[in-house]
Structures are given as structure tokens and as C-alpha cells.
Amino acid sequence: MLGALQEGPANASELARACSISPSTVATNCKPFVEAEFLTHDGEYEFTGAGLLFFDCFEDVTETLTTSEIAALSVSEHRLPILRSIAETPGRKSDLHHRDGLPSRTTIETAVTEFGVRGWVNEEVSGELSLADTGRTAMVAYEEFLDATETVLATTPFLRRLGERSLTIPVAALTDATPIEESQYDADALADAVLQLTETRADSASVVGIVPVYSPVLLQRFAPIFETGLECRYLLDAETAQRLRTSTYRHIVRTASQRPGVDIRVHHEPLPFGFTTDAERIVIGAHGSPTEYPAGLVSANRMLVNWAMDLHACYWEKAEPLSFEADDGGHRVESK
């Protein structure tokens, strides 16, 4: 069903015909994916950015496991713990029943029978169970699939706000990221993360970033960092630049832009996300709709840093130096 959606949005009837199932079965099976924000449903089902990343995870695991094998492990939350327990400590089925965290005897019997049919578990004449090589392969592949899925779920608020750009992020780049989601109780979480990154950077480091929104809080708190001689290349979009020019805090950026090592430019199209990186660590955030609080990530993943830097370079080529109208005579002051 998810494979059919790779071709584009489809309603329940279209998916039912494509998969030879009923529309009600489509609705039942799509519901958890909509709840996880992997699919949207507004008349038609359609992948979100997070959903496409999840489907990539699914396609990766199908290189090792068949869909039937994945179903055998995912049919119950107990299947993987039972398989792990056999891998860690071979024993009889009666032994498994007494191990912490494992389910009822009936559930264990059903799972072990399934594992035996698939050749994942060996049972000796004595009744002792041990994990076969095929079972270990299945267990490791499924664990990796679950880990990748959990990563996508944790970063879904950020990916949803990032929109189409999320489709270009490799899942592996998100594995060690720390999600950030602002709220009415923590409206400066991203600004705090940016400040922490710049304040703890190595003395020789410079920072590169994109600023897609005007933030008085960030401007005020960035002022002392600019005064330390921070080297930076920041890119603003046109709307942010215009708000900055009319802001009461414009002097902070105007003064900073005249310092050596500071280059601030304006891209004349909206920028889809913002970030700050010192080439080792990155804080990245996206805003989504005007009614949503921003969400983002903090990471030291090299792939994520390189992904952001590559996009910055593309936008930078089309950008122009930031300029301010002088207070006297209307002369323009440009960043170096």
C-alpha cells in the first residue's frame, strides 16, 4: 500500500484497487501512519517528508527480510524480546516463561513455533532453544529498522516544518541528533542552542548560517558575541533583511557587518530553514506554518553539517551584500 503511494497521492478507493483490498482495509492500515505524521489525509493519502524517510527505512530492511518476515516480527511487541532472549541465553520454552519482561506461555509458544518454521530458532531433542544464524540476521536487521524508525519519529516535528527539503536528508544523518521543539513554555529553545554553540566554539572556529526569520531575542543575545570578533557568513532572506533594517536593533548587525571577517548577505527568495554551524556542530531549525512553534535539531553529524553547508553555498552564490540606509544623507552602508 505504501509502495503504491510512491507513485503519488491516492484516495482510499484508488489504493484499494491498486492493492486488491477493500477501502475500509486501506483506512484501517493507513490510520497509524497518519497518526505518526508519515501520511497526510485530506481526501487523498500522501507521504510527508518523514513518511518518505520511513519508507526508505522500510525498503532498506527489505533487502534483508521479506515482508512476511517483517510481519512475523511486527505482529506483536513481544516477538523481538523473545528472539533476543533466546539469543542471549539459550534454554527451553519453559525457561523463557520465567524470564523478566517476557509474556505468557501461550504467546511464547506461538512465537517460538513461528521462529522454528522460519528456521530462526533451533530446538534440540532436549528441548533447548538456540538462535540460528538466520535468526540472528533477522533480529539484527529488524532492530536496525526499529532504531531508524524511532529516529524518524523523534525528528518528525522538525521534518514536517522543513517540508520538501526533508526529502534530501539521509536518515543516517539524524541518528545522533537531539530534537528541539519550541512551545509557549520554551519559546527560545533554538536561540539558546545557537548561543551555546557559538559561545563554546573553538577559538579558531568561524560560523556559517542561514537566518530565515527576524528574531529580536537572538539579535540582543548575539550582540556580545559579535563584539568578540566572531568570524561569520550569515545569509538572510529579503523579508528578514527588511525587518532588520527597520528594527531598533539594526545597529547591532550594522556594526558587526563592518568588522573584518563578517559577511552578511541577502537572498531574495524565502529560505526554507535556518541553521548555525561551526563546521563541527550544527543547530538547525524550521518554522513551518505561522501558527506553529519552530522545531529543530542539534547534532555533530558530519553528513548533516555537510548537507546544510552545501545548501548554504548554493544560496550564497545568488545572494547580495546586506545594506543599510544611513541615518544621514541616505548613503548605503554595505557589509564587507
Side-chain angles (χ1 to χ4, degrees):
M1 188 177 63
L2 294 179
L5 285 174
Q6 286 286 90
E7 303 299 320
N11 59 37
S13 296
E14 291 167 338
L15 285 176
R17 287 194 297 272
C19 302
S20 300
I21 55 179
S22 69
S24 61
T25 301
V26 169
T28 298
N29 283 280
C30 282
K31 183 178 178 181
F33 294 109
V34 173
E35 291 174 346
E37 298 187 25
F38 290 168
L39 297 177
T40 58
H41 184 213
D42 186 14
E44 293 182 318
Y45 292 101
E46 184 175 7
F47 273 117
T48 63
L52 286 170
L53 287 175
F54 166 77
F55 193 71
D56 283 345
C57 299
F58 182 77
E59 289 190 313
D60 286 344
V61 73
T62 57
E63 293 179 4
T64 305
L65 301 177
T66 66
T67 54
S68 174
E69 290 172 329
I70 295 169
L73 287 167
S74 62
V75 70
S76 166
E77 64 182 354
H78 301 300
R79 289 286 174 91
L80 185 59
I82 294 171
L83 202 59
R84 284 173 176 159
S85 185
I86 296 171
E88 292 168 0
T89 311
R92 295 178 177 85
K93 281 180 276 191
S94 57
D95 298 327
L96 295 177
H97 177 60
H98 297 290
R99 293 179 186 174
D100 291 341
L102 293 190
S104 67
R105 188 186 304 274
T106 301
T107 302
I108 291 173
E109 288 271 1
T110 302
V112 170
T113 299
E114 177 80 28
F115 298 158
V117 169
R118 295 185 179 279
W120 291 349
V121 170
N122 298 319
E123 185 171 4
E124 304 298 331
V125 176
S126 64
E128 184 170 273
L129 303 169
S130 61
L131 197 65
D133 289 343
T134 52
R136 190 171 301 279
T137 298
M139 181 182 71
V140 170
Y142 191 68
E143 285 175 333
E144 291 175 348
F145 169 61
L146 288 184
D147 287 344
T149 300
E150 287 298 320
T151 295
V152 175
L153 281 169
T155 56
T156 291
F158 164 69
L159 294 172
R160 171 162 43 82
R161 289 163 175 78
L162 193 58
E164 292 183 359
R165 278 294 179 190
S166 65
L167 309 185
T168 64
I169 299 180
V171 174
L174 306 177
T175 54
D176 58 358
T178 301
I180 297 175
E181 189 169 6
E182 293 190 352
S183 68
Q184 60 178 321
Y185 306 107
D186 190 6
D188 299 326
L190 281 168
D192 290 341
V194 170
L195 267 295
Q196 183 177 9
L197 183 150
T198 53
E199 288 171 348
T200 59
R201 74 191 189 284
D203 291 339
S204 60
S206 59
V207 297
V208 173
I210 288 177
V211 183
V213 294
Y214 172 72
S215 172
V217 172
L218 198 57
L219 272 176
Q220 292 176 69
R221 297 175 64 185
F222 231 94
I225 295 177
F226 276 133
E227 292 172 0
T228 65
L230 172 71
E231 291 188 2
C232 67
R233 286 184 293 126
Y234 269 105
L235 187 64
L236 318 177
D237 65 17
E239 181 178 347
T240 302
Q242 184 55 37
R243 292 193 65 182
L244 179 61
R245 292 186 187 102
T246 58
S247 165
T248 55
Y249 303 108
R250 61 185 178 274
H251 63 281
I252 296 173
V253 176
R254 181 165 57 185
T255 300
S257 66
Q258 296 172 349
R259 294 193 175 104
V262 176
D263 195 351
I264 303 174
R265 299 188 183 183
V266 179
H267 189 271
H268 293 287
E269 296 177 5
L271 297 169
F273 68 97
F275 75 87
T276 292
T277 180
D278 62 359
E280 297 293 333
R281 301 159 298 160
I282 187 168
V283 178
I284 181 169
H287 287 74
S289 73
T291 59
E292 289 182 309
Y293 282 95
L297 309 171
V298 179
S299 177
N301 187 287
R302 174 59 57 184
M303 287 186 291
L304 188 60
V305 171
N306 290 344
W307 173 80
M309 293 284 283
D310 287 345
L311 286 173
H312 183 277
C314 292
Y315 291 130
W316 192 261
E317 290 181 357
K318 302 176 183 179
E320 298 178 356
L322 173 67
S323 64
F324 289 90
E325 293 293 338
D327 294 330
D328 54 344
H331 299 293
R332 302 175 71 83
V333 179
E334 294 189 345
S335 63
K336 303 295 184 185

